[in-house]
Amino acid sequence: MIYLDNAATTLRKPPQVIDAVARAMGSFGNSARGTHEGALTASRTIYDTRCKLAALFGCPRPDHVAFTANSTEALNIAIHGLVRAGDHVLSTDLEHNSVLRPLYRLRDERGVALDFVPADRQGRIDYADLERLLRPETRAIVCTHASNLTGDAVDLARVGELAHAHGVLLVVDASQSAGVLPIDMERMHIDVLCFTGHKSLMGPQGTGGLCLRGDPDILPWKVGGTGVQTFSERQPEQLPVRLEAGTLNGHGIAGLDAALDFIAATGMEAIRAHETALMRRFYEGVRDIPGVTVYGDFTHERTAVVALNIADLDSGEVADALAEDYGIATRSGAHCAPRLHRALGTEGQGAVRFSFGWYNTEEETDAAIRAVEELAR
């Protein structure tokens, strides 16, 4: 199989990630639930991973890195924990349902007002719309760093400057960018960064988290056991346990720890350059094929994603043909991004997404180009 669905999850992981999970499965106790060697080994690895993530994302304090099962959980914690009844929230048409559905729930249950910066037919937003839509009661801007459909990146430094100037919180969905695009929470004025471990960070599924800059007044989304302050009737106030009720996925976090070491040793810039070169090679090879429509803006910063359609063929039919006839794995359909599909005019057809990763090759890329060409004919 030629695996070109890395925006959903990286299928191939560095070998040391698999080894780390296997070792942890045989040695980890429950972090913060004992003082024996098994529990302490788990706690040390988890803390080491917090430190590496804080350094990667420019988060000032490792104890402000809280682990979750994925970015969906992290976004729910951030959005439900920060936004109050009567607040106003700004977002964009680029968002994944992991942002949209929590916001719609707060609109319906707490009367939170919402506005979305519109995207044009290429999936671009106008940053002037952000300032135009701000209100005195705006509590937060919640936005993605990079679209999971088109790969187009948002200028977080620009959004952060605006949020900072108006005293508005900035919550970022870094699901598609963590591990491949540079992120500096301090410089970009990001208050909460939500990430997942199984995509460009190349860690196991079931890992993710959120990083907090400063100490925003974020209420716990879930409460329960933490291993500390057992006799308190309320969730402990201090971070990260305020946001980490229940047993952490220590085995998965051990794999994420090893993945972070691999990224540091290989160089995020080298990984990004390789993936970008493959994405550009594919884009240049398919963009002029008769009947092929490519979506997104390829003149600005982006991830290694190319979304396209072939004539009026249903995207699911194209993805099935790619898989069954050519052994190429892609992602078709709506990609949990309904507002962007409406903006692109692909609500009915969907799109076929090709997403490139560190372990893909030029030969695989060329095979995908040939497959698209043959299907278009």
Side-chain angles (χ1 to χ4, degrees), residues 9 15 61 77 110 131 249 267 274:
T9 191
R61 295 178 54 170
I77 291 170
R110 300 185 191 175
E131 190 156 18
N249 178 12
H274 174 73

Side-chain angles (χ1 to χ4, degrees), residues 39-350:
L40 292 175
T41 299
S43 294
R44 291 175 186 130
T45 299
I46 289 169
Y47 180 71
D48 184 59
T49 313
R50 292 191 207 277
C51 292
K52 292 171 183 174
L53 288 164
L56 179 65
F57 297 138
C59 181
R61 295 178 54 170
D63 62 349
H64 280 42
V65 178
F67 287 109
T68 64
N70 44 54
S71 55
T72 297
E73 184 180 4
L75 285 159
N76 271 274
I77 291 170
I79 292 169
H80 286 90
L82 290 170
V83 180
R84 315 285 192 258
D87 284 344
H88 172 247
V89 177
L90 268 178
S91 191
T92 80
D93 276 353
L94 309 183
E95 307 310 316
H96 189 277
N97 272 334
S98 294
V99 169
L100 297 176
R101 285 177 174 160
L103 290 178
Y104 293 149
R105 171 185 277 184
L106 292 185
R107 177 198 62 192
D108 297 340
E109 295 181 358
R110 300 185 191 175
V112 171
L114 304 177
D115 276 306
F116 295 92
V117 175
D120 65 17
R121 296 290 282 193
Q122 281 190 283
R124 300 172 300 193
I125 61 171
D126 185 344
Y127 294 93
D129 287 335
L130 273 175
E131 190 156 18
R132 178 180 59 82
L133 292 169
L134 281 170
R135 305 183 192 175
E137 65 272 24
T138 302
R139 170 75 168 162
I141 297 171
V142 185
C143 72
T144 188
H145 188 186
S147 166
N148 74 308
L149 171 54
T150 65
D152 293 334
V154 171
D155 187 345
L156 286 185
R158 186 170 179 179
V159 177
E161 285 287 348
L162 177 68
H164 180 69
H166 290 271
V168 173
L169 295 170
L170 176 57
V171 179
V172 172
D173 175 6
S175 301
Q176 295 295 320
S177 60
V180 68
L181 295 183
I183 298 171
D184 188 321
M185 293 182 66
E186 284 283 5
R187 184 178 64 82
M188 295 174 170
H189 302 290
I190 300 170
D191 295 287
V192 184
L193 182 81
C194 302
F195 66 92
T196 197
H198 68 99
K199 298 188 181 190
S200 290
L201 286 175
M202 291 188 271
Q205 295 178 4
T207 60
L210 66 166
C211 303
L212 281 69
R213 184 176 65 93
D215 194 12
D217 183 18
I218 182 168
L219 300 175
W221 188 48
K222 59 180 180 178
V223 296
T226 58
V228 297
Q229 299 181 22
T230 294
F231 291 98
S232 173
E233 295 181 355
R234 301 177 64 84
Q235 191 75 0
E237 287 296 316
Q238 71 266 29
L239 291 167
V241 294
R242 187 198 315 176
L243 306 178
E244 287 183 343
T247 295
L248 294 176
N249 178 12
H251 305 137
I253 293 170
L256 180 58
D257 187 63
L260 292 167
D261 287 342
F262 174 82
I263 291 170
T266 307
M268 192 171 71
E269 297 80 5
I271 294 171
R272 183 183 174 197
H274 174 73
E275 294 179 359
T276 299
L278 296 182
M279 176 270 293
R280 290 283 175 188
R281 186 183 186 96
F282 180 76
Y283 170 68
E284 295 292 339
V286 301
R287 66 175 184 174
D288 294 325
I289 295 174
V292 171
T293 302
V294 179
Y295 304 97
D297 184 351
F298 288 79
T299 65
H300 294 92
E301 186 175 54
R302 59 177 11 263
T303 57
V305 168
V306 180
L308 59 79
N309 275 315
I310 299 176
D312 59 355
L313 293 176
D314 180 81
S315 62
E317 292 183 41
V318 174
D320 285 348
L322 287 167
E324 294 173 10
D325 299 336
Y326 299 92
I328 298 172
T330 59
R331 168 80 185 276
S332 63
H335 309 86
C336 301
R339 298 185 70 96
L340 187 51
H341 271 287
R342 292 188 188 108
L344 296 175
T346 53
E347 185 176 4
Q349 188 178 14

